Amino acid sequence: MSDHILLMRGITKTFPGVTALQDVNLSVRRGEIHAICGENGAGKSTLMKVLSGVYPHGSYEGEIVFDGEPCRFGGIRDSEHAGIVIIHQELALCPQLSIAENIFLGNERASRWLIDWNRTNHEAARLMERVGLRESPVTQVADIGVGKQQLVEIAKALSKEVKLLILDEPTAALNDEDSAHLLDLLRGLRDTGITCVIISHKLNEIIEIADSITILRDGRTVDTLDRADGVTEERIIAGMVGRDLEHRFPPHEPRIGAEVLRVEDWTVHSPTQPGRKVVDGASLTLRAGEIVGLAGLMGAGRTELAMSVFGRAYGVNISGRLYKDGRRIELRSVRDAIDHGIAYATEDRKRYGLNLIEDIKRNISAAGLPGLARHGWVNEMEEYRVAEGFRRSMNIKAPGVTSTVGKLSGGNQQKVVLSKWIHTDPDVLILDEPTRGIDVGAKYEIYTIINRLADEGKAILVISSELPELLGLCDRIYTLSQGRITGEVPREEATQERLMYHMTIGQE
Amino acid sequence: MSSISPAGVEAGPKDGKEGGSGPPRRPGRVALGSLSINVRQSGIYIAFALIVVLFTVLTDGAMLQPQNISNIIVQNSYILILAVGMILIIIAGHIDLSVGSVVAVTGAVAAVLMVDFGVPWPLALLITLVVGGLIGAWQGFWIAYFGIPSFIVTLAGMLLFRALTLTVLGNQGIGPFPDAVRTLSNGFTDGYLGNIGLGVLGGADLFSLLVGLMAVAGMVAAQWRTRTARAGYGQGVDPLPVFVLKTAAGAALIMAVVVQLARFKNLPWVLVLLAVLVLGYSLLANRSVFGRRIYAVGGNLQAAVLSGIKVKSVVFWIFVNMGVLAAMAGIIFAGRLNQAGPTAGNSFELDAIAAAFIGGAAVQGGVGKVVGAITGGLIMGVINNGMSLIGSPSERVMLVKGIVLLAAVAFDVWTKRRAGAAR
């Protein structure tokens, strides 16, 4: 057992009324990349918070042995001192400071009271070279992309002489190129003796990079897999959800009806960069009972297209024509769009979709409130009845509709968002990344709901970054590249390769 | 090498769908959740009760004497009216620093109209309220449609409207006001029905008592209707004994205040006005579409926009509303002093803002209650009154009020953090 850098044994962490972790064991060998998998709420983050001292020694049961020493961390400083650094999903950088300042934040290169800028920038440049970040150390963090910001975080960790680097969903916000670079970097770090623990939902990446995998489910260790044993996505998923997930998508027989929404020659300009076309002459049609996909790489203009159609919620200088049920319509505001039976469920539910401090009931009624009111007064009993109905039909897991939305898991929050829009009784539902950040079991439920909505005769447009999701769900898929519709592929002919081909047309 | 926990494999739920549900389904957490929410929501009322008891003891009961209760209400009425408007603004995530100056300028407008131009008082009051609304519209325009932070716009307004007051009044007060206006701000309902003996408590005004009884009857009926309707929809309600106890406590409180007032000089008119405002604005905040939108805007602006809420219009109208209420407070304050003065309303904005935050509003917006703001205002009023009764110097009163404000918000933040940590 001496080759283990980290042993966590019998970790149990309870919050009042909830057992978040129950007798969890984790052993990480020195110099390996160890992945932790589990559904949302399985206890991954809690385990990492126990390890990094966010939950200090004494607030949990069990023991931690790091580098051969039993550890009793009282806070993050203690764990960092021991050589454990955690990089959170939401990066903790100061955007207005330079890269070098961020790297040495809280750990300044100073002689007595004054910061030694030469040393700061010089050492920063060395660390940046090590992580493959080609920028000037004095560049402001706000001016570099998310991928490079991630590298700054890693450089910062290296500056603290890290032995164990923990990355929480490091590639969630990155494009494929940046992800690949990051994974390469992690391999490089492993070869220099730094152990990595990576938490990720992207199973293909885990399989590519991890030497061993620990799977958590409901706060317990379910399984530990070794690369040598031959790991497959199916095996990990089975462990995570506790069942064999042969069919990731519910079967669905489409009953496609008449055209509901037609967008013609839609052009949208960027509000921040004058003159730049974000959507360029796009045309598409949606039909009743049909699930249509919209595929495109980051920055292709998918969300921008959807939001500009949704009552000009995005963009300036919008031109083009909209037809609803064959008749020309003008949508000047979000209210107009809702009144014309169009709904848009955002890709970022926490920022744009929900009032997290409010309860389920009031979130569900937020968009369709006029329908629950007479002469400006809300019928609260009816509101309760409607919300309770959605809680049951959508299987929102919460004690009641007066529970605060911010406390729900991602999947249940997404169901609240969907309920809100279904309550406006739309004919057209635009779902932007409907399963982002939610776990496998809840995804299946969302797919079932989408199928049910299509069966009720609604026209549905699904925007997704996950091609398998579009292939499994949609009857027809449009591809978008640099603001232009570059392809329209029926379900039978759709393959990942073909979609990717259309998605990259027009790019160098 | 590998570290499988044998217990873990078997003990997970058999049905994979259970995995996504997370903590909320555990019953223990529900009970705790609702309990902690209760503590957070009712903490302010408990604190108010404790403060009243404390000063009653310290003043040998002088605190609860009929005349003193009347004084507390009349002396704080304008702050409470401002607090009603302020809480809506704070819920929407904004702030209004100008209300003190608006109180001054509207008081001056009312005085000029009535005293200098001899405009009949009902028309003069109406014009003054309209002027207040226009002032609110002016600030609402810059905030909602031009996009300047409310802090800046109303900071400018604070200077602008004070300057206007001084321009209108010169450096002197204008008065006296017509009797009707003075009665509204300082006077009491007449003893329309004569007195009635209440045994050891002595004589009391029958009309006031009847109004009090009607208020109690109305409250009990409304509570009962809500309860039966909720039960009919299958919502959870308090068990009957708890419901009876709560209602009885509320009724007793109302009657106690009314009886004390009836023993003194009947009901202050401002109390009647305040009761109407509190009731009306509580309904507006909780039950109206407009009120809901205020919470939605303050809770998550972006989500409100994408839910089809016309955010700009909501923000504009809450500032118009604040202007009208500030004008109302301006009339009452001027009427009480019987003259409109250049320094009227100084630092009222701070009292109104403090009332809202003591009453449980959140700095980030989205949270708050009209009744909470009123309670917050009364807490400060009782501290003011109680400390002056025991002869504390004004600097000590200020000290205590500052500590209370800090403690109230600290308690709020602390309970929120605890709720967050329990996730």
Side-chain angles (χ1 to χ4, degrees), chain A residues 53-210:
Chain A
V54 173
Y55 300 129
H57 180 80
S59 69
Y60 58 87
E61 290 163 41
E63 60 166 347
I64 302 175
V65 179
F66 181 69
D67 221 1
E69 302 277 327
C71 297
R72 301 179 164 196
F73 298 136
I76 294 180
R77 276 194 164 262
D78 293 349
S79 64
E80 285 195 352
H81 192 71
I84 301 175
V85 176
I86 184 161
I87 297 178
H88 292 281
Q89 198 174 347
E90 288 90 17
L91 300 180
L93 297 173
C94 300
Q96 306 305 330
L97 297 184
S98 73
I99 295 175
E101 283 173 292
N102 268 288
I103 289 176
F104 294 112
L105 198 65
N107 185 18
E108 283 80 4
R109 293 293 173 263
S111 51
R112 258 178 204 279
W113 305 108
L114 292 176
I115 294 197
D116 184 341
W117 287 109
N118 287 331
R119 213 174 121 213
T120 299
N121 290 331
H122 178 71
E123 288 186 22
R126 270 206 346 244
L127 289 165
M128 286 161 66
E129 198 188 323
R130 219 175 135 194
V131 299
L133 177 58
R134 275 178 292 276
E135 290 282 343
S136 159
V138 295
T139 306
Q140 268 191 20
V141 163
D143 294 338
I144 61 176
V146 187
K148 288 180 174 174
Q149 290 183 5
Q150 187 79 255
L151 299 180
V152 175
E153 281 276 17
I154 295 175
K156 186 175 169 182
L158 294 180
S159 79
K160 294 172 186 163
E161 283 159 21
V162 58
K163 291 177 192 158
L164 177 67
L165 183 64
I166 302 166
L167 299 114
D168 190 357
E169 296 276 352
T171 61
L174 302 190
N175 61 29
D176 291 347
E177 193 186 327
D178 284 346
S179 298
H181 177 81
L182 184 76
L183 296 182
D184 272 346
L185 173 64
L186 293 186
R187 285 196 198 94
L189 291 178
R190 174 182 59 190
D191 297 341
T192 64
I194 294 173
T195 312
C196 289
V197 170
I198 175 169
I199 298 175
S200 178
H201 276 149
K202 295 190 181 173
L203 301 186
N204 53 346
E205 284 177 8
I206 289 178
I207 289 176
E208 190 186 323
I209 194 171

Side-chain angles (χ1 to χ4, degrees), chain A residues 256-270:
Chain A
I256 297 170
E259 172 191 300
V260 178
L261 185 76
R262 185 160 87 246
V263 180
E264 278 185 358
D265 201 17
W266 197 253
T267 299
V268 180
H269 290 80
S270 160

Side-chain angles (χ1 to χ4, degrees), chain A residues 1 29-30 34 41 61 95 151 172 187 260 282-283 292 321 355:
Chain A
M1 297 296 273
R29 281 168 294 178
R30 192 180 301 277
H34 191 109
E61 290 163 41
L151 299 180
R187 285 196 198 94
V260 178
S283 300
V292 176
R321 294 174 300 280
N355 182 351

Side-chain angles (χ1 to χ4, degrees), chain A residues 218 354 376 378 383-384 420, chain B residues 13 235 287 289 292 300 307:
Chain A
D218 291 325
L354 294 166
V378 180
E383 180 186 33
Y384 180 88
K420 170 167 95 172
Chain B
Q235 295 190 45
R287 300 275 310 273
V289 173
R292 290 297 190 76
N300 185 341
S307 296

Side-chain angles (χ1 to χ4, degrees), chain A residues 8 112 254 257 259 309 320 393 416 434 456 482 491:
Chain A
M8 295 178 82
R112 258 178 204 279
E259 172 191 300
V309 168
S393 67
V416 173
E456 289 169 11
Q482 301 198 341
R491 180 183 200 126

Side-chain angles (χ1 to χ4, degrees), chain A residues 4 15-18 23 25-27 29 39 217-218 220-224 241-242 307 310 313 333-335 338 350-355 357-358 362 365 367 369-370 373 376-378 380-385 397 399 406-407 409 412 420-421 439, chain B residues 1-5 7-9 11-14 16-17 19-21 23-26 28-30 32 226 229-230 233-236 283-284 286-289 292-293 295-296 299-300 302-303 305-310 365-367 419 421-423:
Chain A
H4 284 111
F15 298 107
V18 190
D23 195 23
N25 296 314
L26 175 69
S27 19
R29 281 168 294 178
E39 291 190 324
R217 184 171 81 224
D218 291 325
R220 296 161 190 271
T221 319
V222 175
D223 207 351
T224 296
V241 299
M307 283 180 71
F310 186 59
S333 67
V334 172
R335 193 74 247 166
I338 295 172
K350 288 191 177 178
R351 271 178 69 194
Y352 298 121
L354 294 166
N355 182 351
I357 56 177
E358 199 61 271
R362 290 191 172 192
S365 68
L369 199 57
W377 296 96
V378 180
E380 287 193 301
M381 298 304 154
E382 187 61 18
E383 180 186 33
Y384 180 88
R385 198 185 60 77
K397 283 160 197 140
K407 291 182 179 166
S409 70
N412 286 312
K420 170 167 95 172
W421 290 112
D439 53 58
Chain B
M1 283 277 231
S2 47
S3 53
I4 302 169
S5 151
V9 182
K14 292 282 184 281
K17 282 187 178 179
S21 67
R25 75 194 135 108
R26 322 230 175 179
R29 191 170 183 296
V30 181
L32 182 102
T226 311
R230 280 203 180 149
Y233 275 93
Q235 295 190 45
L283 278 177
L284 179 91
N286 290 318
R287 300 275 310 273
S288 77
V289 173
R292 290 297 190 76
R293 291 190 164 156
Y295 285 92
N300 185 341
Q302 327 278 20
V305 171
L306 286 179
S307 296
I309 293 171
K310 297 196 163 142
V367 180
R423 286 183 69 181

